[in-house]
Amino acid sequence: DPDTNKKFAESLDAKFPLLSNPEKDVAKAYGVFNEEREFAFRWTYIIGPDGTVLGVDKDVTPATAGVDLVALLSELGVAKR
């Protein structure tokens, strides 16, 4: 739910929003909702400031997701802050 998601983001001091989508409409629009399992695949979308999808990681492994994300951002030429 949105409140739990917000608390989770705050606990990590996330500098970006985390989406909560109990209606599953966004997951369905992005093609990640698995009807058979009734929840979304764990994919990472890199979305630019203008809303353009710059990249997608469809092979997310929780143990390496952070390192993999940094590598993908680097490949896409996204500048470090």
Side-chain angles (χ1 to χ4, degrees):
D1 69 85
D3 190 49
T4 301
N5 215 29
K6 182 179 180 204
K7 288 177 185 173
F8 175 68
E10 289 171 350
S11 76
L12 298 174
D13 196 27
K15 303 291 187 229
F16 51 86
L18 295 177
L19 175 68
S20 178
N21 184 229
E23 298 82 15
K24 301 175 181 79
D25 56 326
V26 175
K28 289 176 183 177
Y30 276 86
V32 298
F33 187 73
N34 182 321
E35 297 285 345
E36 195 173 293
R37 297 179 352 183
E38 295 191 20
F39 60 89
F41 292 110
R42 187 182 297 247
W43 292 359
T44 299
Y45 283 82
I46 309 302
I47 302 173
D50 65 353
T52 302
V53 175
L54 303 175
V56 181
D57 180 0
K58 295 182 179 181
D59 190 26
V60 177
T61 303
T64 62
V67 172
D68 296 340
L69 177 57
V70 169
L72 179 55
L73 290 170
S74 179
E75 287 174 27
L76 294 169
V78 176
K80 293 181 181 180
R81 289 189 177 192

